[in-house]
Amino acid sequence: MSTMANLKFLFSFIILFLLISTSLGGKQSTADVNVIRVGVVLDLNSTVGEMAESYISMAVSDFYAVNANYQTRLTLFTRDSKDDVVGAASAALDLMKNKEVQAIIGPARSSQARFVIELGRKAQVPIISFSATSPSLSPSQNPFFIRTTHDDSAQVKAIADIVKAFGWREVVPIYEDTDYGNGLIAYLMDALQEIDTRVPYRSVIPPSSNNTEIIEELNKLKANHTRIFIVHMTASLGSKLFVLANNAEMMKEGYAWILTEGLSSLLNPMGSKVMDSMQGVLGIRPYIPPSKHLEDFKRKWKRNLTTSSKRISFNLFGLWAYDTVWALAMAVEKAGVVHSSFLKQNASNSNVDLAALGISEMGSRLRNTILTTKFQGLSGNFSLVKGELETSDFELFNVIGNTERIIGYWTRQKGFSQDLNDTHKEAYSTSKDKLKQPIWPGYTIEQPTKLRIGVPVRRGFEEFLKVEWHSNTNKPSISGFSIEVFLAVKDALHFPLPYEFIPYMNTDRQINGTYDELLYQITIQKYDAVVGDTTIVANRSLYVDFTLPYSESGVSMVVLVKDDESKNFWIFLKPLSLNLWLSTGAAFIITGLVIWVLEHRVNNEFRGPPKQQLGLILWFSFSTLAFAHRERVVNNWSRFVLIIWIFVVLILTQSYTANLTSMLTVQRLQPSFVDVKEIIKNGYFVGYQNASFVKGLLIKQLGFDESKLKSYNTPEEYHEALLNGTNNGGVAAIFDEIPYIKLFLAKYCTRYTMVGPIYKTDGFGFALRKGSPLVPHISRAILNVTQDKDKIGAIEHKYFSSQTRCEDQSTTISSHSPSLGVDSFGGLFLIAGIASMVSLLVTVFKFFYSHWPALSHNNTANCFWSKLVEMAKCFDQKDLSSHTFKTKESSVHAVTSPDILELSPSINDMQNHSRNSFEGTDDVVIHDGNISLSSRHGGTYTLSSSPSIQT
């Protein structure tokens, strides 16, 4: 027993000795540990500052509990910046000069960090910030500045993709007027510009703003048409903003709010009142991957919570502060910072003397070591790239109740997704279908900024627009050509366009005013757009913007056609106009006169008493109309004129026949009125479509008296008014746009026709508010739809297929007089006139050339007018030198023998015959078989004898 007792005692002693040795060996003496001084500059009265101080304290404790064998220990010297830039700089200077810290963690705000960074650069002390996220603070430009968080610009691409996914074309950023707030805006504007989203206004709120000033700014935003806001500010100002926005009824249906990373990471510390004011808000923040280390920390955090620290929540900034301490502790150990001191430049007793600030001996080595430190921290992979934390993925959440509901994720490689662990290769996506359905402000799933589209309610022409109400739901059902085109255009857009149709009506479900008044509702923000048969006109473009037109344009006049014109007693005169009748008659007379002049001296058929010759002139020319002239022409110039004239007559008669035939067969389709001035002059009534801009056109441009205008709604009313006529309570004409007229004529094509000039308009278009960014997108989509013949053709066939019944008939209707005018035959008359004039001048010239010299020689004493009279008398005589008379003379031969010559008629008979046949011959004398004719004017002509004398 004694031996066993000794063995037990010895065994227990050995175990006790080993335990004590192990315990003593696992701990280093204070003398063996190198203490490294580290400064901490925080706003201890702020949410972030109080939270960070707690996280930093736990980080130091946890790190050395895990790494007890390290030769270095961080000793923290905490200073309060008191939420002041100067206070932060003063605290940092005091830590460097008096405590000779080797690094400074903080400060929390970007504005404070800007000055502290300069001190760190001068003293070569690393300034490590886990919350100064402004892009204006660049580690590449400040070598001793290290950012252990993300740059704010890393999130702008994700924010822009959210805006793009929901099809928002306008957003308004709301940000605080600090370095933190202003630093993001330039990057955000660039990202929004890339997706063609407009920023009509930027709301800047100073951090010192009181409630009154914030409410005033919110009222400006509320009066604006934009309902999408991106909020970039700190938790203290953001919580105040949302409470006031909720009171201003800006957290209801129709609004959307997006929180940037800074505010999204600090929702947990906010009270229930603030969270209740943020219902439906979307937020974006860095994704924290789950890990065992993180879960252990959460459990430890909950155990260590005290009554005084319950308001310090578990959030992202705290995790970054925690990882910052771990990274610094690892870098200090790895860099081998031992007994580091400052190299003094000037001696000074002042705590804030910049000239006395020394330079850290180990600052550069410590900075370089921190930049290369990598480990798996609570916030994920800790790796610095270009002096700041490597960008991670982002998660999107929706504030519902007191929780944040995750609706999806965003990565630079894949865009939106609902599962980050999905390894399938997919194209980059910005589709909202990749996200869960958000719950928007007002507890609705209806997407905010749904385009509120005003739709006119009309009674007639329902092919364009038809509004019906379901008897069960009492909700409107809207259809028609304009609606179909809009839906096709919406589908052609490259972004989603949520919308709702709102009928513009009164309590009787009729249109609540004119189309101009409907468009004005866009200006007062009752509607965002108007879709319907809305015409683009200049005065409307003063207060709305129109898209490109999707239909044909123009205003014209429709009138009743006349169907009894063929019974007109004088219709045979209608084919030619009065001017043409007169011109043709004058041409006949002139042509007859020219032929007479050319033929009178050489053709016996154009000779005789004056009355006979005058009749001959008229008879000959007009007989060519029916090619019934019997007179033979012998002058070549006459033949030339006659050929041209007969061609003219042929064209005239054929045209007259064709036009008369047309009038007798289709004259019933001629309009009752073709001239607007005639209607105005006679004071007739005219009609127009109710609520249309055409009324203003009739009064201002065409000059109608307003008392002569009547409004109608349906094609049936048009028909009745035109049928009754202006004397029976109806109208003489209806003025309307061409698309409506075509629909009307499709139904009543046999009774009415469109006449007169077309007054130019730009057609139907969609109206949006002035400056709307949707206008160019919708206009391009309209071009794509209208140029797609299959797509637009299918829509037109669906609503306007009945128009084809009258298309062929409409081509036979003319709005002009059917009578042919002088202009139609001006060329023919010109050719005939030139031919007649040339022939006449040549003949007259030859006559004067052959007779004027002899006349002048024989009558030198006579005056000029006497000579002209003599020339006229000479012209009245026969031209015996003409071949026509020579042919006749050749048949009269002289008798060489008395036996052969036998004159059966007496000389007196021959004289009578000669006097009748050859005017101007006074005496007939026969000498030796020759017959001599003595002229009254002294000329002697000799005829050769022949066996017989023809009379």
Side-chain angles (χ1 to χ4, degrees):
M1 294 296 295
S2 174
T3 303
M4 292 297 294
N6 292 334
L7 289 174
K8 290 180 179 180
F9 175 77
L10 180 62
F11 182 72
S12 300
F13 178 78
I14 293 172
I15 293 175
L16 180 61
F17 176 77
L18 291 173
L19 291 173
I20 294 172
S21 298
T22 302
S23 175
L24 293 175
K27 294 183 180 180
Q28 296 176 330
S29 64
T30 305
D32 295 334
V33 174
N34 294 315
V35 177
I36 306 301
R37 297 168 178 262
V38 175
V40 179
V41 180
L42 298 171
D43 296 329
L44 296 180
N45 292 326
S46 67
T47 301
V48 174
E50 187 177 357
M51 169 209 64
E53 183 182 29
S54 176
Y55 275 80
I56 289 172
S57 177
M58 289 184 63
V60 173
S61 175
D62 292 346
F63 182 82
Y64 290 111
V66 176
N67 301 287
N69 59 336
Y70 273 33
Q71 298 295 321
T72 56
R73 291 290 186 274
L74 299 182
T75 298
L76 305 180
F77 294 89
T78 304
R79 296 290 186 270
D80 185 7
S81 66
K82 298 179 181 179
D83 195 18
D84 183 66
V85 174
V86 177
S90 177
L93 185 60
D94 175 59
L95 290 171
M96 295 177 190
K97 185 173 183 297
N98 299 316
K99 298 301 180 181
E100 295 188 349
V101 294
Q102 300 302 311
I104 292 179
I105 298 175
R109 296 184 180 274
S110 298
S111 56
Q112 298 171 0
R114 183 179 300 278
F115 292 93
V116 175
I117 288 171
E118 290 299 318
L119 296 176
R121 181 185 60 81
K122 183 176 181 64
Q124 296 187 7
V125 173
I127 307 299
I128 310 170
S129 178
F130 58 88
S131 58
T133 58
S134 174
S136 62
L137 303 176
S138 173
S140 61
Q141 297 177 358
N142 303 281
F144 283 90
F145 173 54
I146 299 173
R147 181 156 43 206
T148 56
T149 182
H150 301 123
D151 179 351
D152 275 339
S153 63
Q155 63 184 318
V156 296
K157 176 62 175 171
I159 295 174
D161 282 352
I162 294 175
V163 173
K164 183 178 180 181
F166 291 100
W168 294 322
R169 311 315 302 171
E170 285 188 334
V171 297
V172 171
I174 305 175
Y175 57 98
E176 64 178 48
D177 192 12
T178 61
D179 284 353
Y180 165 71
N182 294 318
L184 176 69
I185 297 305
Y187 296 89
L188 182 61
M189 296 291 288
D190 289 343
L192 294 174
Q193 186 176 4
E194 287 182 5
I195 62 172
D196 204 15
T197 295
R198 184 168 170 263
V199 178
Y201 178 72
R202 290 187 285 182
S203 177
V204 186
I205 300 178
S208 58
S209 299
N210 55 37
N211 289 355
T212 303
E213 293 170 336
I214 296 176
I215 291 174
E216 183 179 350
E217 183 65 23
L218 289 174
N219 288 333
K220 291 181 182 178
L221 296 175
K222 191 175 181 181
N224 205 316
H225 52 265
T226 307
R227 297 290 183 267
I228 310 300
F229 306 110
I230 299 176
V231 182
H232 178 64
M233 53 183 55
T234 57
S236 57
L237 184 60
S239 59
K240 186 188 301 184
L241 172 73
F242 278 102
V243 171
L244 296 176
N246 188 44
N247 294 338
E249 296 184 346
M250 296 178 67
M251 299 303 298
K252 63 180 183 179
E253 184 176 354
Y255 287 85
W257 300 76
I258 302 174
L259 307 180
T260 61
E261 175 187 321
L263 191 54
S264 297
S265 302
L266 291 171
L267 292 183
N268 288 338
M270 297 183 181
S272 59
K273 182 179 180 180
V274 177
M275 293 298 290
D276 290 342
S277 301
M278 298 177 68
Q279 298 301 299
V281 168
L282 290 184
I284 180 174
R285 63 190 174 197
Y287 170 69
I288 305 301
S291 64
K292 184 177 183 303
H293 189 193
L294 181 61
E295 294 301 322
D296 293 341
F297 178 80
K298 287 181 178 180
R299 286 192 292 268
K300 182 179 179 181
W301 174 266
K302 292 178 180 180
R303 288 197 304 268
N304 292 341
L305 284 177
T306 61
T307 304
S308 61
S309 63
K310 282 186 178 180
R311 79 184 193 95
I312 302 175
S313 62
F314 180 83
N315 64 67
L316 189 56
F317 282 110
L319 299 182
W320 281 331
Y322 187 96
D323 288 346
T324 299
V325 173
W326 276 57
L328 180 58
M330 291 179 183
V332 166
E333 180 70 18
K334 184 177 180 181
V337 179
V338 179
H339 303 298
S340 177
S341 62
F342 277 62
L343 298 177
K344 299 293 185 180
Q345 292 182 340
N346 296 298
S348 176
N349 294 325
S350 174
N351 292 339
V352 293
D353 187 2
L354 294 177
L357 186 61
I359 298 176
S360 174
E361 294 180 320
M362 300 298 294
S364 296
R365 184 194 301 180
L366 180 58
R367 177 184 66 87
N368 294 334
T369 307
I370 295 173
L371 292 177
T372 58
T373 300
K374 300 179 185 296
F375 66 97
Q376 193 67 30
L378 292 182
S379 61
N381 182 41
F382 185 93
S383 176
L384 300 177
V385 178
K386 295 181 180 181
E388 60 187 17
L389 191 64
E390 185 179 12
T391 303
S392 67
D393 302 329
F394 290 90
E395 65 181 9
L396 281 64
F397 66 88
N398 189 199
V399 177
I400 301 298
N402 292 322
T403 61
E404 296 132 37
R405 170 176 166 259
I406 304 300
I407 63 172
Y409 303 92
W410 181 89
T411 65
R412 292 189 176 275
Q413 295 75 29
K414 298 170 60 177
F416 293 135
S417 65
Q418 293 190 22
D419 185 7
L420 285 177
N421 297 323
D422 188 1
T423 58
H424 292 86
K425 290 185 178 181
E426 296 181 359
Y428 189 90
S429 174
T430 57
S431 172
K432 65 179 181 180
D433 296 334
K434 294 289 185 178
L435 304 174
K436 295 180 182 178
Q437 174 63 57
I439 306 299
W440 302 102
Y443 296 99
T444 178
I445 61 174
E446 295 290 335
Q447 182 176 323
T449 66
K450 185 185 296 183
L451 203 63
R452 299 168 300 168
I453 300 176
V455 177
V457 179
R458 56 181 311 128
R459 287 172 50 195
F461 299 101
E462 294 182 341
E463 291 86 352
F464 285 99
L465 198 65
K466 184 177 183 180
V467 181
E468 298 177 301
W469 276 265
H470 295 290
S471 57
N472 297 332
T473 62
N474 204 31
K475 291 183 178 180
S477 173
I478 302 174
S479 60
F481 174 74
S482 299
I483 301 300
E484 289 281 351
V485 171
F486 172 77
L487 296 178
V489 168
K490 181 187 73 70
D491 294 338
L493 295 173
H494 62 276
F495 55 86
L497 184 64
Y499 67 93
E500 63 173 328
F501 291 129
I502 305 174
Y504 180 60
M505 61 182 185
N506 53 25
T507 55
D508 297 327
R509 290 181 174 176
Q510 301 296 324
I511 188 168
N512 193 27
T514 65
Y515 275 62
D516 289 339
E517 293 170 342
L518 168 60
L519 292 173
Y520 189 73
Q521 305 303 308
I522 299 176
T523 304
I524 62 176
Q525 300 185 24
K526 181 177 180 179
Y527 302 132
D528 300 315
V530 168
V531 169
D533 48 346
T534 311
T535 306
I536 303 172
V537 291
N539 66 314
R540 292 173 175 176
S541 64
L542 298 176
Y543 48 90
V544 296
D545 279 349
F546 285 99
T547 63
L548 289 177
Y550 62 86
S551 74
E552 61 182 321
S553 60
V555 174
S556 191
M557 175 174 68
V558 60
V559 297
L560 187 70
V561 294
K562 297 179 292 185
D563 58 358
D564 60 343
E565 190 66 26
S566 60
K567 301 175 184 179
N568 193 322
F569 188 74
W570 298 101
I571 191 173
F572 68 92
L573 295 176
K574 292 286 186 178
L576 304 183
S577 65
L578 177 61
N579 290 337
L580 184 56
W581 278 118
L582 295 176
S583 300
T584 303
F588 272 110
I589 295 173
I590 292 172
T591 302
L593 182 62
V594 169
I595 295 296
W596 178 84
V597 170
L598 298 177
E599 291 290 323
H600 179 65
R601 300 189 71 245
V602 298
N603 194 338
N604 287 327
E605 295 186 13
F606 286 84
R607 302 183 65 81
K611 292 183 179 180
Q612 180 182 354
Q613 294 183 55
L614 179 61
L616 181 65
I617 291 173
L618 298 175
W619 154 255
F620 182 83
S621 59
F622 282 99
S623 65
T624 58
L625 185 65
F627 307 103
H629 56 285
R630 294 175 299 173
E631 292 75 15
R632 183 173 59 92
V633 293
V634 296
N635 192 329
N636 286 334
W637 289 108
S638 300
R639 292 167 180 169
F640 171 67
V641 172
L642 196 58
I643 289 173
I644 301 299
W645 176 245
I646 289 176
F647 177 74
V648 173
V649 170
L650 178 64
I651 298 299
L652 282 172
T653 54
Q654 294 297 323
S655 300
Y656 173 87
T657 303
N659 204 20
L660 180 61
T661 302
S662 175
M663 294 176 65
L664 292 173
T665 56
V666 298
Q667 185 67 24
R668 59 189 179 85
L669 296 180
Q670 294 303 319
S672 54
F673 297 99
V674 295
D675 191 359
V676 175
K677 294 180 180 179
E678 179 186 357
I679 298 176
I680 298 176
K681 180 180 179 180
N682 294 328
Y684 294 147
F685 287 94
V686 295
Y688 66 95
Q689 189 175 163
N690 186 31
S692 171
F693 78 97
V694 175
K695 178 181 179 181
L697 183 145
L698 294 174
I699 297 174
K700 297 177 181 178
Q701 295 188 28
L702 300 184
F704 278 94
D705 191 325
E706 187 174 358
S707 62
K708 298 297 181 180
L709 305 182
K710 295 184 178 182
S711 63
Y712 302 99
N713 291 291
T714 66
E716 291 75 19
E717 292 179 358
Y718 281 11
H719 168 62
E720 183 179 356
L722 288 171
L723 198 62
N724 290 336
T726 186
N727 296 323
N728 298 315
V731 294
I734 293 287
F735 287 85
D736 209 342
E737 295 171 80
I738 292 177
Y740 301 118
I741 292 178
K742 285 190 173 182
L743 280 177
F744 173 71
L745 294 179
K747 189 172 183 180
Y748 302 102
C749 58
T750 60
R751 294 172 177 260
Y752 308 101
T753 184
M754 183 172 66
V755 296
I758 295 177
Y759 304 95
K760 182 67 176 176
T761 63
D762 286 334
F764 294 158
F766 304 134
L768 296 98
R769 60 174 177 75
K770 293 287 287 184
S772 173
L774 290 174
V775 172
H777 296 285
I778 295 179
S779 294
R780 282 191 289 269
I782 287 175
L783 286 178
N784 292 332
V785 171
T786 54
Q787 292 179 3
D788 187 339
K789 299 303 181 184
D790 294 335
K791 185 177 294 184
I792 194 66
I795 298 175
E796 290 176 347
H797 180 75
K798 180 178 180 180
Y799 291 99
F800 306 134
S801 58
S802 61
Q803 286 191 24
T804 58
R805 293 187 292 111
C806 294
E807 286 182 355
D808 293 337
Q809 188 172 5
S810 64
T811 60
T812 65
I813 299 174
S814 172
S815 61
H816 303 284
S817 171
S819 300
L820 298 174
V822 177
D823 294 340
S824 303
F825 303 95
L828 288 174
F829 286 132
L830 180 62
I831 294 172
I834 293 174
S836 298
M837 186 61 64
V838 169
S839 301
L840 185 62
L841 290 175
V842 170
T843 301
V844 172
F845 176 79
K846 288 176 63 178
F847 173 75
F848 271 80
Y849 182 78
S850 61
H851 291 81
W852 185 268
L855 187 63
S856 300
H857 178 73
N858 296 330
N859 301 281
T860 56
N862 291 341
C863 65
F864 177 78
W865 292 108
S866 298
K867 293 179 180 180
L868 286 181
V869 172
E870 292 298 326
M871 289 293 294
K873 293 178 179 179
C874 186
F875 177 79
D876 190 46
Q877 299 173 7
K878 293 181 180 180
D879 183 6
L880 297 179
S881 63
S882 172
H883 70 282
T884 56
F885 295 123
K886 287 181 179 180
T887 302
K888 293 183 178 181
E889 290 173 7
S890 63
S891 62
V892 181
H893 298 281
V895 180
T896 59
S897 172
D899 298 329
I900 300 174
L901 178 60
E902 181 179 354
L903 299 177
S904 48
S906 66
I907 295 299
N908 291 332
D909 293 337
M910 176 176 281
Q911 280 187 311
N912 292 335
H913 176 76
S914 299
R915 191 174 287 112
N916 289 334
S917 301
F918 305 99
E919 290 190 69
T921 301
D922 294 334
D923 302 311
V924 180
V925 182
I926 302 176
H927 298 283
D928 298 330
N930 294 327
I931 301 176
S932 296
L933 305 178
S934 298
S935 173
R936 295 178 184 175
H937 305 288
T940 301
Y941 305 92
T942 302
L943 300 179
S944 299
S945 61
S946 59
S948 62
I949 298 178
Q950 297 178 353
T951 60

